[in-house]
Amino acid sequence: MARLALFLLVAALVAVPASAQMVPYASYTYDYWGVQIPAPQAYVPVRAISGNDIGVGALKAPQDIFATKSGDIYIVDSGNHRIVHVNQRFELIREIRGFTNGAKAERFNNPRGIHVSENGTIYIADRDNNRIVVLDADLTLIRIIGSPAVDKPEYFTKDFRFRPEKLTVDQYGSLFVISLGVYDGILEFDDKGVFLGFKGAPRVAPSIVDYIWMRIGTAAQRERMALFLPVEHSNLCVDDRGFIYATAVGGQIKEEERIRRLNAAGQDVLRRLKHLKPIGDYYASPPSYFVDVLARDLDIYSVLDRERGRIFTYEADGHLLYVFGALGDRLGTFHTPVALAEVDGHMLVLDAMKNNVTVFAPTHYQELIHGAIGAYHSGRFDEATELWKEVLAVNANFDMAYSGTGRAAFMQGRYADAMRDFRLAGDRQGYSEALEFYRKERIEQYFGWILLAVAVIILYALFATKKVTEGSVAEAKAQIAATYTEVRQWEEMQRRSLVINVKRVLRGLQFAFHVIVDPFDGFWDLKHEKRGNVPTAVTLLILEVITYLVMYQYTGFPFNTRNPRWLNIIAEVFSVVSPFMLWCGINWSLTTLMGGKGNFRDIFIASTYSLVPFILIVLPLTAASNVMTLNEAPYYWLFTTVAIIWSAALLFFSTMVIHEYSTGQAAAVSLLIVVGIAVALFIALLFADMFLQFIGFFREIYREYSLRL
Amino acid sequence: MKTDRSLTRIALLMTAVAVVFTSFCLCSPATAQVPRGFDAVAENEYLILHINSDTAEIAVTDKRSGDTWYSNPPDRDKVEKIARGDGKLALGAQFRLTYFEPGDVVRTVDSFVSSVAHNQFEIEPIENGVRVRYIVGRQWADRDFLPLFMSKDTFENEVLAKITDSRMRRTIEGFYILLTLEKSTGEGASIAGYSLTSPATTLKDRDQRTLTEVMIDHMVLNTSGLRDRNDIKESTLAPFIGTEFYMLKQRERDLLAWDLEDIVAVMKDIELDPSAVSDRYVQLGLDPRIQNIVVFHVPIEYTLDGDNLVVRVPASEIRYPKDVLNAEGQKVTYPLVTIDVLPYFGAADNTADGYMFVPDGSGALIRLNNNKTGLNAYAGRVYGRDNALSPPPASLDSKLCSFPVFGLKAGEKAFLSIIEAGDALAQITADIAGKRESYNTVCAQFRLLGHATTSLQGEVDSTHRESAQWVYGRTTINVYQEDIYTGDIQIRYAFLYGGDAGYQGMARYYQDYLVSRGWMTRLSPKDGTPLYVELVGAVTDFRPVLGVPRETIVPLTTYKQAKDIVSRIAAQGIEDIRMVYSGWMRYGISHVYPTGVKLEKALGSKSDLLALRDYMDSIGGRFYPSVDFVMIHRADLFSGFRPWRDASRFLNRTEALYPMVYAQRANPANRNPYSVYVLSPSRLDNLVSRYLKDYTSYGFSGLALGDLAFQLHSDFRHRATIDRQAARSIVEAQIAEAKNDYSLRLLAVGANAYALPYVDDILNLPTTCGGQDIIDETVPFAQMVLHGYFDYAGDPANFAPDRDHYLLKLLETGSAPYFLGYCADSSVLKGSAFDYLYTGEFEEWLEDAATLYSTANSVLGRVQSQRIVDHRKLLDNVYETRFDDGTSVVVNYSDSAVTVKGQKIGPLGFAVFEEELEEEQAI
């Protein structure tokens, strides 16, 4: 049975659990954690159409495909300098090789992009003729738009050549053009072909390394750097509402700005999730390289990734809906995909090396998703819910569908169900809202019991407080001090007794409460009165580790952004203990040099005591976080911050008291310790790396020896 | 009704007679004319085998039709417009070899350019045919046939005497001169105190001087000890003194090109052995002539067997340069990796009409001259990938060929090739005309020796490159299997004409072939299609237990639930339920090392399982608990599986271990904690026997061979290599054991040909081809071969993208419906390693299953035990499948209605036609 996985794994059987229709790749989506998870096919490849199938001879390096709403398809057959116009059944309507300009017949030279507007006007980016040709539906020339540098030379460098690659036209007839070698943005022309200016130049985000090089590099080096900084647009399209989707490639553009949606003012208004932004494949190297974008109904858009031959489709908020396509030599896979179009629900992908168009037909799954989004958009929430449920029956891995059913459950007041669905969806906001109502409901339900519990607690607190106030703290201290000598002798006698040790630890723990409220006195006593001991310190350290693990695993869902499945217990323990020991070690090594009075034992004990507030605050906070909503997040973060600051302050005080430093000295030493830790880490990394290389070197020699001889 | 049937029977009979008669007339009895240049070497009642003794080409004349089949296109001189030079000559090759030079450079040689052109082959008759022995790789250079010195005896008796053409003899005589060395008398030119004289004639002074210079040059240029003429001492000349010898009168470099050609041609003609020349050189103190070490010895046998041509390459007799000494005295090996056998057999030229058939998936056609010249050639590995050769690629590239057959139809004739030996090493390749050659060719390539690229850091092959390359600067080297495959390679060619010339005829022929060998038997006549239901017992997941993630069992379908599900399906009126139960052993799908049956407690008790078994028996269903033998999911300390001992090895000697990751990943964040080992075939026998012994004690009558029947891989363990062909025998023996010794009813996943004799049911039988760009059409070849002999199903319906399309596929291919599911809510799988079971909740598909089944059963039920006798494409996206009794099913995949035989079929609809009286037209 594992063969189902094994197909995927070993790829031995044709049968991916998918198809009577053959799909030569596995479909997937991403979950909340950015992990690829299997999904049903949203589209299946139906056929590949070559130039011969259309009856116009083989295509040659075609670069663009455009489909009108009415179902006409235009293929820009760049290598053959022509446009092939077919209907949606790929029957030839006409071949456009040129047009008549006055009395002169003119031809295209390497046309690269096309747009056909509703009224049939055809815009062609005639690249190697350095012009845009605008024809009406009967191929009568409307106008030729030449280089904008003629009218507005101030916008361009002297050696500028107008080489239009891609273009799109909005509903007002404004023309947006991407020209090869232009880095200032999209060229905008008005409906008369007059150049208006640049739009939406992508921001360049140089990396820190680049930045440093820019600072310290010579002029020549900087010059060279400048060459690879620019960002180019790769493609663009306009949606029904006049927004321009644009894809950008290369250079140091921010990952999430590879797809942008520009408004009339040229601002990017693309909605992105906080968590997984629409950037194609996550954690992929090299990243997705978008060469085309297609605006679809319901603010859904698809982008074409040339790097891995995949088409990603997102909805308006940035949720990934589905992925299809791959590179390869089979139907449904590409060699060099260049352009994307949609006609009659089918997706068309143009391949510049295979010289064909692959037609993808939507599946039931795709129809369900689009149906659900459509229903939601038009306010038919019940219908949307039903559709989302159907989606889940087909694909139990789909986060967005869980959000959908969760929302429905929420509306219907089934808060527990809503919480479950939102949790499955990884939807923290939704979960939190559901939790708020669920909590309210529960509180109302159990109000009597809660009242009773509160009363009991208050009574107990009063009683307990009374006890404390009866004997003053000083009195208690004296009492403790009195018994202290006696106890110590006793301890010396029975050092090995477990019971005694447990008592010692308990007493040590009790003392921790004193330390954290009165650090100066507390730390002094720890050291000089020998109130602390190593077993207690170790116990505290263990408690700290446990607290950390508990926080990791049991923090309420809205606040926990880690996946409890992925916990690696050893790594986690190490991640607490090692910085702690590093602190102690560096602290000791530095203070010994700087006249510190404390020894390692003192430092260790004091440091463990310093972290007690962390335990005291985080443990109850973690418990509370399970009933807290995101509205109460400020409190959560406040307490967390308090815990950290308190502990940090204690560490500082402990340094001061143990080593008998002044505040200034302590501050300086603390700073040095932090620096020391950084240095130590750096050296450790260096050593680790060298060690690994060393091992690798010998392994390599061994392997070469064993394989070659 | 009854009369109807008998009427049609008569019609059928008449048609058959008519067909036989017409074919008889069309294909006039063979005059058996011998093609020019060919000699008949074997003949039987069907075929005559010819061979051309100059080119080693063979031709087979079919006496029934008079057609002649050639190993190489006979008209290639006229037709070939694309290939030139050696490429064009290569069309005359009977095989191609690829090998690696030291330094991992791959080379391809063919039998024409590297063997036949140098006359390095021998033809010997064997029973019913001929054997041709080739020496590939030119043994001697032309220059080696040009003796500079020869003893008088040799020259006169071995050379001159053998030249029959007197003019040639005079020419050769003219190039040489008989000489002897005598102590210099001080006159004329001399070498180290000796001067040349000719015993036969008196030399003129000028000639004597020239000859002396020539001799000095001959010696200096051919003796490594001499730097220039001053180094020639009396001792150097000692072997020449006192003997009479012939010497080439001119310096080698002064010879005119055509003179050189003439001499070499003559010497070759008289079969002068360059090694004799070399021996003589050694005697004279000159450097020996070095023979080319890169030489391969390959024998091929052609025999006639009934109406078939059988081509056999005994790989045990193939010799390749292994540990030979090169000119520098180092041991080198030229690993011979592949051989293409008869690459141009029956090749169709650039005007031919027809197609090539490849068994990709269910079967596929590549139209001849389909103009897809920009796309890659077809290559499909028989029985899929060898998992021990390299880890699976990151993308899904399954190109599975279950049957080792291929064919080509051109015009009214076709051939079908069946690979009978070496099938597990075969890769079927097909390419169209217009790319490198003007011919469409389909042939089998055999991997004689496995090779892979390994990095010195550890990983094998290319798969991990994506993530690993940027980590290290990679150093990679090739690693090779130690020794070449030593079994046989055998291909059987069958010839089909007229109505049989097509994939339908090929399927029928192959079906008869399998039946005649007793590998398939007809199903007993029955009504009703089975319903295949696969239920998943349990999976595992990592979930936090007290804060620490631990592997926990996630039960999906307990034994009791399985029983309930089956009973609910049965309640829908479905009688023939075949239930596959996977993931029912300990740890579910990724179950324990199967040394015995270990039940999963979370799924219930043993008695629950037995109750399920009894229930299945009681309703007359078949119960197939599934187990994986080949892929080992668990290798913990107490599992009994020791990777170092039991796992197959990659070529780089590491254990064959794969991470279980979802395909098409570009994403290292895929944190799947599972990985699988590939079990060494050498361990299989012991494991399967142990398991079966325990298994049968449970009283199960059926067993689903999870991965045993479709996973086939080598073990490249150092000094204990098991090649894939050997592994195939081992696997076959295991399946046979389960069938014969334990009389288990077996269900196989996929239909690899070697499992067919033993299995009863087949699941996941592909219903489409793999869809390589070059392919034009999918055909249900596999189904045409198997229907009526096996019950089978394709892929699970509930995972299919489109249910309507799925139904049509069922009807077209005669497949039974198949559902895969479980009882639990599918959301429990989210985030686990088994999230690929993203749909399958039983409640969701129960009703669908009932409706789909009833439709499928209403059509296929009554033809379940019949053969598919015909399948054809009526229109684009409209196909017809015809069964034994004349029932035909027409399916329409297109999104518009079509009219077939007067009946309108809606989009994604179908129609069933009863036996008709249009038979004659159909044929």
Side-chain angles (χ1 to χ4, degrees), chain A residues 1 3 9 15 18 20 22 28 30 283 329-331 354 393 396-397 399 402 420 424 553 565 699 703 706 708, chain B residues 392 456-457 477 534 541 547 582 653 664 667-668 768-771 773 795 799-801 827 830 835 838-839:
Chain A
M1 167 57 221
R3 69 175 178 278
L9 155 68
M22 199 281 314
Y28 63 91
Y30 281 98
Y283 307 107
D329 64 351
R330 308 211 273 159
L331 177 64
K354 287 189 178 180
N397 290 338
D399 285 356
Y402 283 111
R420 170 188 167 275
L424 280 165
Q553 288 286 357
R565 260 203 186 83
R699 224 175 86 172
R703 289 188 60 81
S706 68
R708 294 231 191 199
Chain B
L456 294 174
Q457 273 93 1
I477 58 169
E534 177 164 1
D541 190 14
S582 46
R653 300 180 192 173
Q664 218 195 51
N667 185 342
T768 64
C769 69
D773 288 324
D795 301 323
F799 281 86
S827 67
K830 190 169 186 284
D835 52 7
Y838 45 70
T839 174

Side-chain angles (χ1 to χ4, degrees), chain A residues 131-387:
Chain A
R131 65 184 180 187
I132 290 163
V133 177
V134 186
L135 305 174
D136 73 9
D138 305 322
L139 305 187
T140 315
L141 181 67
I142 297 176
R143 75 177 65 85
I144 289 176
I145 303 171
S147 173
V150 175
D151 290 339
K152 302 245 174 74
E154 67 274 19
Y155 282 90
F156 299 93
T157 54
K158 259 202 200 100
D159 52 359
F160 169 77
R161 286 186 63 220
F162 185 48
R163 284 180 291 174
E165 280 274 342
K166 303 287 173 201
L167 46 79
T168 191
V169 179
D170 70 8
Q171 69 266 51
Y172 310 111
S174 298
L175 178 64
F176 302 93
V177 180
I178 294 172
S179 176
L180 194 68
V182 170
Y183 306 111
D184 304 307
I186 297 163
L187 287 76
E188 184 178 359
F189 297 83
D190 71 8
D191 55 351
K192 301 282 180 293
V194 178
F195 178 63
L196 298 179
F198 293 108
K199 191 165 183 174
R203 278 178 299 160
V204 167
S207 72
I208 293 174
V209 177
D210 290 335
Y211 185 77
I212 293 171
W213 274 115
M214 295 268 274
R215 288 273 145 195
I216 65 176
T218 63
Q221 281 169 335
R222 272 202 297 272
E223 190 111 332
R224 215 163 44 238
M225 297 247 344
L227 285 180
F228 60 83
L229 275 173
V231 175
E232 249 183 300
H233 281 103
S234 57
N235 217 324
L236 77 176
C237 77
V238 90
D239 72 4
D240 292 343
R241 296 195 264 155
F243 289 100
I244 300 167
Y245 286 96
T247 50
V249 294
Q252 273 82 358
I253 191 169
K254 263 198 203 154
E255 213 172 32
E256 65 260 35
E257 290 188 5
R258 287 174 203 277
I259 308 170
R260 295 184 306 152
R261 186 182 193 217
L262 305 173
N263 64 9
Q267 290 158 330
D268 180 15
V269 294
L270 190 76
R271 305 240 295 266
R272 300 180 175 94
L273 298 177
K274 256 189 233 146
H275 200 66
L276 295 172
K277 299 181 168 69
I279 59 160
D281 277 317
Y282 300 104
Y283 307 107
S285 167
S288 298
Y289 187 102
F290 298 124
V291 290
D292 199 4
V293 56
L294 178 70
R296 301 167 64 184
D297 290 344
L298 306 170
D299 286 346
I300 293 171
Y301 56 98
S302 296
V303 284
L304 173 63
D305 168 22
R306 192 179 70 186
E307 188 64 42
R308 276 168 282 270
R310 295 171 186 171
I311 294 102
F312 297 86
T313 301
Y314 299 92
E315 55 81 87
D317 284 334
H319 285 110
L320 176 64
L321 297 180
Y322 44 78
V323 183
F324 64 94
L327 295 182
D329 64 351
R330 308 211 273 159
L331 177 64
T333 63
F334 319 113
H335 186 286
T336 309
V338 289
L340 200 59
E342 184 180 24
V343 64
D344 191 26
H346 289 54
M347 295 290 273
L348 313 178
V349 181
L350 181 70
D351 194 310
M353 285 299 278
K354 287 189 178 180
N355 294 316
N356 64 15
V357 179
T358 308
V359 182
F360 289 85
T363 63
H364 182 56
Y365 175 65
Q366 188 268 7
E367 282 157 8
L368 286 176
I369 293 177
H370 282 241
I373 293 173
Y376 191 81
H377 265 243
S378 49
R380 289 171 281 130
F381 298 118
D382 290 344
E383 190 187 331
T385 309
E386 284 312 307
L387 286 167

Side-chain angles (χ1 to χ4, degrees), chain B residues 73-87:
Chain B
D75 53 354
R76 56 185 182 270
D77 284 344
K78 269 177 272 155
V79 173
E80 185 56 60
K81 291 284 183 313
I82 298 168
R84 290 172 193 283
D86 280 358

Side-chain angles (χ1 to χ4, degrees), chain A residues 73-93:
Chain A
I73 301 164
Y74 295 81
I75 301 166
V76 180
D77 189 7
S78 309
N80 289 325
H81 313 293
R82 65 178 175 183
I83 315 290
V84 178
H85 178 190
V86 293
N87 68 13
Q88 63 185 23
R89 297 197 161 265
F90 284 91
E91 289 151 354
L92 184 67
I93 294 174

